[in-house]
Amino acid sequence: MSLSIGNRLEWVRQSEIRNMSIECEKYGGINLSQGVCDLEVPPIVVKGAKQAIDDGINSYTRYDGLNELRQAIAKRQKIFTGMEVDPEKEIVVSAGATGALFSAFFALLNAGDEVIVFEPYYGYHTINLVSTLAVPKYVRMTPPDWTFTRGALDKVLTEKTKAILINTPGNPSGKVFSLEELKIISDFACKNDLFIFTDEIYEYFVYDGRKHIPPAGLPGMRERTIMVSGLSKTYSITGWRIGYCICDARWSTAIGYFSDMLYACAPAPLQMGVAEGLMKLTPEFYNNISRDYQKKRDRICNALYTAGLTPYVPQGAYYVLCDISGIPGDSGKEKAMHLLKTAGVASVPGEAFYHDAAGENLTRFCFAKEDAILDDACRRIESFGKMNR
Ligand code: PLP
């Protein structure tokens, strides 16, 4: 037989995040590798979904999502960022932020188009770009605050550059782009007539009094920005697959068609549950996210310092990248495995977030865990530090 698997598989290597979860189970460790929050789903969201099933909302929905959910997204966006969004024409509900972003890439990019990606990056972003035959071009950010320069953007610009991807707050760095930085990007995007894809899935996870700034809100940006977000993280419903994009009506129909082709629709009753949450949860619910997760961030960063490691304290999201150059091993993977075998805590080796070897002295911990589990992991990290002194 001469049949074989298609070429695309070469680009989609088994994610290191999944690999570390498998290793973690093997060694009976605490899994701080996967970005899965194990916290309670808001009861009102659960109730809304159950009610929808009982009410018979179990069929395919309109290709761009149920009216109730699009209305609720527009209302929430207005309250949170002041942005006016037309729920009829400017929102596409899809299978998670992942589905929305993938559909947007399919709808707006051609083979060979170059997309500027800030590094360290979230692996799905680059793999999805490559899968649509676009070409990621990397701009490296510098720790501890993950800064970049206008010069670095100019350096990667070619006549093939079509877009920039911004993930704020970012995975894995926790980077929250400041107004000054977004002005640099918007000036660059407007001058060179580029699309902006944003991934704002961690919009409510910001620390130390910072505010999330949607790039679409800057002058000249609304019409060129495909703003992507979802509720996976905010409501701890990663398995529900509810996300969306907000963009100018010129782009939304095409994005919706691709979302339809790839996923048909997001799960109908779960759309209703999320709509209930968006309409009824109070501003306090969203404020508490930052307060609660900042405590978790401080707990793990302190444990890492105590163990003699150097965390780059995140400004947002729920991951911390940590310098592990002092741990034995010739690569990030070996160092992360050493940590797993001796401390019993799984993390994701830094190479997963860079296109070259730049991540070999880094590893990423996810701190979206119940306090008891996080405490246990932190105690293990602290005793690992004592053993190595
Ligand atoms: N975007 C980023 C930056 C993420 O870290 C994740 C999950 O880890 C996602 C998107 C996935 O979002 P969704 O579950 O809505 O597809």
Side-chain angles (χ1 to χ4, degrees):
M1 187 172 77
S2 59
L3 295 175
S4 64
I5 285 164
N7 296 340
R8 280 187 175 82
L9 192 76
E10 264 177 51
W11 313 323
V12 186
R13 277 172 296 139
Q14 167 78 315
S15 125
E16 204 50 83
I17 301 174
R18 290 234 171 85
N19 287 340
M20 284 308 285
S21 295
I22 295 165
E23 294 287 353
C24 182
E25 217 164 279
K26 208 156 80 190
Y27 289 98
I30 298 179
N31 192 353
L32 299 192
S33 62
Q34 221 163 11
V36 173
C37 26
D38 55 10
L39 306 174
E40 193 202 8
V41 181
I44 202 167
V45 175
V46 174
K47 197 166 155 230
K50 285 184 177 163
Q51 189 63 50
I53 293 174
D54 290 342
D55 291 347
I57 304 176
N58 299 304
S59 314
Y60 298 125
T61 70
R62 205 174 95 167
Y63 76 103
D64 52 356
L66 285 169
N67 183 45
E68 287 84 347
L69 179 53
R70 282 180 286 102
Q71 296 277 353
I73 291 167
K75 185 163 175 247
R76 178 78 214 131
Q77 199 55 233
K78 173 83 182 137
I79 294 170
F80 183 47
T81 66
M83 195 189 288
E84 295 284 352
V85 180
D86 179 351
E88 191 54 30
K89 294 197 187 122
E90 295 185 322
I91 296 176
V92 178
V93 173
S94 188
T98 309
L101 207 51
F102 206 27
S103 305
F105 291 165
F106 263 118
L108 304 176
L109 298 175
N110 291 316
D113 282 347
E114 294 179 357
V115 178
I116 297 176
V117 175
F118 291 94
E119 193 175 46
Y121 52 72
Y122 169 56
Y124 271 60
H125 289 158
T126 50
I127 287 174
N128 289 357
L129 280 171
V130 170
S131 301
T132 53
L133 303 180
V135 181
K137 289 282 167 176
Y138 302 99
V139 165
R140 188 155 300 170
M141 301 189 288
T142 313
D145 288 333
W146 306 103
T147 46
F148 64 96
T149 62
R150 167 69 188 248
L153 292 174
D154 288 329
K155 212 164 160 191
V156 293
L157 182 76
T158 72
E159 71 277 7
K160 292 190 194 147
T161 310
K162 179 84 171 278
I164 308 179
L165 199 158
I166 308 172
N167 179 202
T168 183
N171 173 10
S173 63
K175 163 88 175 165
V176 175
F177 283 71
S178 68
L179 184 59
E180 291 66 35
E181 289 168 327
L182 291 176
K183 279 184 183 159
I184 292 174
I185 297 173
S186 69
D187 181 62
F188 179 80
C190 293
K191 278 215 173 92
N192 297 295
D193 200 19
L194 306 176
F195 274 121
I196 303 283
F197 296 108
T198 70
D199 181 338
E200 302 176 46
I201 191 105
Y202 298 103
E203 59 202 335
Y204 294 109
F205 298 75
V206 285
Y207 310 128
D208 307 316
R210 281 187 184 78
K211 269 188 104 90
H212 169 66
I213 306 171
L218 273 77
M221 293 283 271
R222 179 72 163 84
E223 61 174 354
R224 62 180 68 252
T225 300
I226 316 301
M227 173 186 198
V228 171
S229 193
L231 284 306
S232 284
K233 315 289 176 173
T234 307
Y235 294 166
S236 305
I237 48 168
T238 49
W240 284 29
R241 314 311 305 131
I242 307 285
Y244 56 88
C245 74
I246 295 176
C247 62
D248 193 280
R250 271 173 294 173
W251 326 122
S252 59
T253 310
I255 295 171
Y257 286 164
F258 276 98
S259 180
D260 181 10
M261 188 190 76
L262 289 163
Y263 314 105
C265 67
L270 307 186
Q271 289 191 45
M272 288 300 281
V274 166
E276 276 289 291
L278 289 170
M279 293 303 276
K280 296 197 179 144
L281 286 165
T282 60
E284 204 191 357
F285 169 83
Y286 299 97
N287 294 336
N288 287 348
I289 293 177
S290 286
R291 190 200 57 194
D292 295 348
Y293 278 80
Q294 186 171 319
K295 280 191 205 140
K296 292 179 194 294
R297 177 201 67 172
D298 292 344
R299 175 75 183 94
I300 191 162
C301 287
N302 287 335
L304 292 166
Y305 281 128
T306 305
L309 304 170
T310 308
Y312 295 120
V313 180
Q315 303 165 344
Y318 52 52
Y319 308 93
V320 53
L321 273 178
C322 182
D323 187 317
I324 49 164
S325 40
I327 292 181
D330 285 336
S331 64
K333 178 74 185 269
E334 282 185 23
K335 288 171 210 244
M337 281 306 296
H338 180 84
L339 197 64
L340 172 60
K341 286 179 196 167
T342 49
V345 175
S347 55
V348 181
E351 286 100 335
F353 312 109
Y354 287 87
H355 77 286
D356 56 17
E360 66 188 7
N361 283 319
L362 293 172
T363 200
R364 187 202 76 176
F365 299 93
C366 168
F367 54 86
K369 299 285 152 199
E370 277 175 26
D371 285 339
I373 295 171
L374 190 63
D375 272 342
D376 190 1
C378 288
R379 277 192 295 270
R380 290 176 185 216
I381 292 169
E382 284 157 354
S383 356
F384 168 80
K386 277 192 202 123
M387 274 175 342
N388 284 280
R389 244 174 239 137

